[in-house]
Structure formats: structure tokens, C-alpha cells
Amino acid sequence: MADPAANFSVEFFPPRTAEGRTRLDRVHAELAALGPDFFSVTYGAGGSSKEGTRGIVLDYRAAGSELAPHISSTGRDLDVVRELLRVYRDAGIRRIVALRGDLRPAHLKTANVFYARDLVEFIRRESGDHFHIEVACYPEIHPESPGYAMEIEYFRRKVAAGANSAISQYFFNADSYFRFVEACLGVGVDLPIVPGIMPITNFARLSAFSEKCGAEIPAWLARRLTDFGDDQVGLREFGDEVVSELCERLLVGGAPGLHFYSLNLAGPVRRIWENLDLSQRR
Ligand code: FAD
């Protein structure tokens, strides 16, 4: 059984169109009925807008949900970050997800990189302990990482800068998560690490995403998903089963919650939530 304080959350990204926003409002209402601990809203992820984040955060907060806005920074836009922190604090928001954001390879080589750790330090300097700060982590290692041990070391430093808990990149191999948590404990990093969960709804999109972010689709799973071809219903049912089993294993193994990458869809999150009876598990 999961920790009694298990935390279940759902991530949205800001839609590009007015129709997308109307759809997201319906998705938010449907998922809010499940009672997640909070919704998070990405900031410029995968080329999506940064401007849209604030509006969605404030609107859904006004509708009564707990919100955790994501913030990333290049280090040259700290006035924007400062203003966001002020607006969010005034709106009663207590949780922020602090990220570096993806950089172009050229930027990585030439610029003075402003890492997530620098942003965590900035938020602490600006806002003291007002915000619970979430940071990202990568059980299968960030694509730019120089190696496993350095990944853990950089994560340790980021946490030491003032993070309260972490949300992981998604994965389909529970052992990668348990090993990562163990390695963190080995260097004294014992904050809650909530696994990020990606529902399976579309194999082509999942493959493209996974390639970019360094998440592995195990060979057996890729093969089974390929075999569904155009059978979207079969793929969906199989995907729900695989992801629900993964979540069950994680919770039974002691994961302190689950963070769902909803891709702005209610159905997959709701089905997994109901399969696992999450409302009764905290
Ligand atoms: P960092 O913790 O700064 O790490 C980035 C890389 O740099 C890692 O490989 C790390 O090992 C290495 N590193 C760290 N410190 C140093 C150092 N001092 N010297 C050399 N190398 C170092 N992106 C968005 O743009 N918007 C979002 O809203 C968003 N939300 C996300 C939510 C979650 C839960 C996750 C897992 C990712 C999200 N991302 C988002 C993607 C994220 O921004 C990218 O993965 C980005 O490339 C790394 O961000 P980070 O915060 O983990 O960076």
C-alpha cells in the first residue's frame, strides 16, 4: 500500500488554440472531480507557449483547484520569473515546478547555462519558504547527462539548493525508478520522488516523444504496440492495462504518489485512476 500521504497529480500543457483551451476546460473539470492533489501546467515545453501557462494556472486556481505552475529560465529573464512568482503568490499558489527547459545544442556548448539548480536558488532567494519547490529527475538518465553517477550528483546539488520533492521523467521499467531512488538514498537524497506516468494512447507519438526525452520503450512493449497497427481501441485497452500494472508496482514498492502526463486528455488518466482506485489510496 502506498504511503498514506501519497500525492496524485496531473500535468497539462497550454493549448495553442481557443478550441484547445475549451477542450482543456472540460478535461480539467472531469479530472478535478477525481480530487487530484494538484494540477501542474508546463511552461514552454516542447515548443508550447509560455504565455498560456499563467492564464490557465490562475483560471483553474480561481475554480478551486490546487495548481503547480512550471517555470523555466535562461537566467536572462529573471524579471519575468520574479513577476510570475509575485502573481502566483498573490493567487494563493504554494507549489512551483522549477526546470531548466530544453536548450539547443549550440546554446549548451557556448552559453553560460542556467541550470534548474540556479533557478531553485533564485526562487528561494526571492520567496523564502513560501513555495514547495518540485524539480525534475530522470531514472533513465537525462539525454545530456555525462553518466549515471554525475546525474545523481547534479540531482543531489539541485535538491540541496532547496527543492522539496521531485517528479520523474516517465519510464516503463519500474526497476529504473527503484534503482534511481536507491542511488539517491545512497548519497543522502531522501526527498519524495514521485514517478511521472505516461498513459499509452498513440504509439507513433509515444515513440517520437521517448526518443527526444531519453525514455526507453522496452522491446517487448514496442513490439506489442506495433502489432496493434490501426486498432486504436485494442492499443488503448492494452496501454491502460500495462500502465495500471506499472503504477500498482510503483505504489506497492513505496512510490510516494503518481504524476500523470495527461497530454490534455481526461480518459486515459481517469481509467488508470479508477483501475487503481486512487481516491481511496491516500
Ligand atoms: P537540470 O536539472 O538543470 O539538468 C539538465 C542537465 O544538465 C542534466 O543532464 C544534468 O545532469 C546536467 N547538469 C546539471 N547541472 C550541471 C552542471 N552544473 N554542469 C553540467 N551539467 C549539469 N521543459 C520545459 O521547457 N517546460 C516544462 O514545463 C517542463 N516540465 C517538465 C516536467 C518534468 C516533470 C520533467 C521531468 C521535465 C520537464 N521539462 C520541461 C523538460 C526539462 O526542461 C528538460 O528535460 C531539460 O532538458 C532539463 O531540465 P531540468 O530541470 O531537469 O535541468
Side-chain angles (χ1 to χ4, degrees):
M1 197 62 178
D3 188 286
N7 224 297
F8 301 120
S9 51
V10 176
E11 183 172 307
F12 294 143
F13 63 85
R16 288 173 200 269
T17 62
E19 296 77 50
R21 174 58 203 265
T22 305
R23 269 197 305 275
L24 185 61
D25 291 349
R26 282 197 297 269
V27 169
H28 166 250
E30 184 176 340
L31 293 180
L34 298 174
D37 291 276
F38 64 90
F39 292 96
S40 84
V41 184
T42 65
Y43 186 75
S48 67
S49 97
K50 288 186 171 174
E51 290 68 34
T53 306
R54 171 174 157 162
I56 292 172
V57 165
L58 296 181
D59 289 352
Y60 294 173
R61 172 76 193 135
S65 293
E66 290 298 327
L67 265 295
H70 296 208
I71 298 184
S72 66
S73 172
T74 59
R76 291 184 299 279
D77 52 0
L78 290 174
D79 284 348
V80 176
V81 175
R82 188 176 285 117
E83 171 65 4
L84 282 174
L85 294 175
R86 188 190 62 73
V87 167
Y88 291 149
R89 202 171 35 206
D90 289 352
I93 285 164
R94 305 296 306 233
R95 188 183 294 259
I96 296 280
V97 186
L99 304 137
R100 188 200 67 183
D102 281 319
L103 301 178
R104 285 189 216 97
H107 184 144
L108 273 172
K109 282 200 193 98
T110 55
N112 208 352
V113 176
F114 192 80
Y115 289 101
R117 173 196 174 183
D118 303 310
L119 179 60
V120 171
E121 279 174 357
F122 178 78
I123 296 173
R124 283 284 172 244
R125 268 203 311 279
E126 288 291 312
S127 317
D129 285 335
H130 178 82
F131 292 109
H132 176 115
I133 302 182
E134 303 267 5
V135 288
C137 66
Y138 305 84
E140 295 178 340
I141 299 303
H142 187 267
E144 285 157 30
S145 183
Y148 200 88
M150 277 316 288
E151 181 76 12
I152 301 286
E153 173 55 18
Y154 287 138
F155 181 58
R156 189 192 66 72
R157 292 185 204 169
K158 176 162 71 174
V159 170
N164 300 97
S165 53
I167 301 173
S168 86
Q169 182 57 278
Y170 69 89
F171 52 84
F172 295 104
N173 177 352
D175 287 333
S176 68
Y177 168 81
F178 292 123
R179 290 278 178 189
F180 183 80
V181 171
E182 205 176 280
C184 290
L185 286 173
V187 295
V189 175
D190 62 354
L191 83 177
I193 298 178
V194 174
I197 302 298
M198 180 65 86
I200 300 174
T201 52
N202 177 315
F203 183 43
R205 192 152 69 155
L206 181 68
S207 300
F209 243 50
S210 304
E211 180 130 354
K212 240 173 102 189
C213 69
E216 185 195 36
I217 306 178
W220 66 269
L221 180 57
R223 193 58 230 235
R224 292 283 307 265
L225 295 175
T226 309
D227 286 354
F228 281 102
D230 292 334
D231 176 8
Q232 285 302 314
V233 175
L235 181 132
R236 198 192 77 186
E237 285 173 2
F238 176 70
D240 286 351
E241 182 190 319
V242 168
V243 176
S244 299
E245 278 173 16
L246 171 67
C247 293
E248 182 66 29
R249 235 194 112 190
L250 291 166
L251 291 175
V252 168
L258 301 168
H259 178 79
F260 291 99
Y261 294 109
S262 75
L263 301 181
N264 292 1
L265 300 172
V269 175
R270 188 177 35 72
R271 291 191 300 271
I272 296 166
W273 188 289
E274 288 169 356
N275 283 346
L276 296 165
D277 204 6
L278 291 186
S279 300
Q280 302 302 319
R281 297 179 77 157
R282 49 154 97 91

